[in-house]
């Protein structure tokens, strides 16, 4: 029996995190959670409101925790996670509930465009903060 796993997908906007999460979910029947989901309506339209960002982070963490408590075999969380502290709550939850956890950095080698109309200058700022920790 395979130990339940938490997969953390991180990368800059347009890298393909959402697409990869959906592909993996179809293949492995995984639950997917994202900070971005908070800002999507039922039609899938995205309306970001920076003043509610803290609520989006909280909701994503809460949903992930509920899935881990239920012992969902594979849980996927995707977000930019440019800074280590953003991943820490998920890593702590994985340890608490006995999950293996993996951090996968998704790169934009396909020259994809971000779905959320984030300006290129903002993405460049994010690149400067983005760190690959080993």
């Amino acid at each position: 029996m395979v130990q339940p796993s938490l997969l953390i997908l991180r990368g800059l906007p347009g890298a393909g995190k959402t697409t990869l999460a959906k592909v993996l979910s179809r293949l492995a029947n995984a639950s997917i959670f994202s900070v971005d989901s908070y800002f999507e309506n039922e039609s899938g339209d995205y309306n970001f409101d920076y003043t509610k960002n803290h609520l989006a982070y909280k909701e994503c963490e809460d949903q992930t925790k509920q899935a881990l408590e239920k012992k969902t075999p594979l849980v996927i969380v995707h977000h930019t996670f440019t800074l280590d502290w953003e991943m820490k709550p998920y890593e702590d939850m994985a340890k608490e509930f006995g999950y293996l956890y993996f951090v996968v950095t998704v790169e934009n080698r396909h020259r994809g465009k971000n779905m959320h109309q984030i300006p290129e200058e903002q993405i460049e700022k994010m690149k400067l903060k983005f760190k690959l920790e080993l």
Side-chain angles (χ1 to χ4, degrees):
M1 178 159 228
V2 177
Q3 186 173 354
S5 300
L6 172 64
L7 179 60
I8 299 170
L9 300 178
R10 66 190 293 255
L12 294 171
K17 300 174 300 293
T18 302
T19 302
L20 179 58
K22 289 177 181 177
V23 167
L24 294 173
S25 176
R26 279 194 309 270
L27 293 173
N29 195 28
S31 295
I32 305 173
F33 304 105
S34 172
V35 172
D36 285 338
S37 298
Y38 183 86
F39 300 105
E40 292 176 355
N41 63 22
E42 293 84 28
S43 304
D45 298 321
Y46 184 78
N47 296 302
F48 182 73
D49 179 352
Y50 185 79
T51 65
K52 295 182 179 178
N53 213 25
H54 66 287
L55 298 172
Y57 274 87
K58 176 83 171 99
E59 181 178 271
C60 186
E61 287 178 25
D62 289 346
Q63 290 174 332
T64 301
K65 184 174 183 177
Q66 290 171 10
L68 298 181
E69 285 174 333
K70 291 182 199 173
K71 293 292 184 199
T72 303
L74 178 60
V75 178
I76 301 170
V77 178
H78 63 96
H79 186 55
T80 53
F81 293 118
T82 54
L83 303 170
D84 278 350
W85 67 263
E86 295 172 310
M87 291 182 283
K88 183 84 167 89
Y90 299 96
E91 293 171 353
D92 290 345
M93 281 189 269
K95 291 174 186 173
E96 177 184 350
F97 294 102
Y99 272 65
L100 292 175
Y101 68 92
F102 303 91
V103 177
V104 175
T105 301
V106 181
E107 297 178 355
N108 187 355
R109 294 185 181 221
H110 57 281
R111 305 275 187 248
K113 298 293 179 196
N114 76 81
M115 301 176 352
H116 307 305
Q117 289 74 48
I118 298 170
E120 195 60 39
E121 62 270 9
Q122 181 64 31
I123 294 174
E124 289 300 318
K125 289 179 188 177
M126 294 172 82
K127 282 182 187 178
L128 295 174
K129 294 189 304 183
F130 199 87
K131 292 186 177 158
L132 182 59
E133 300 289 328
L134 300 174

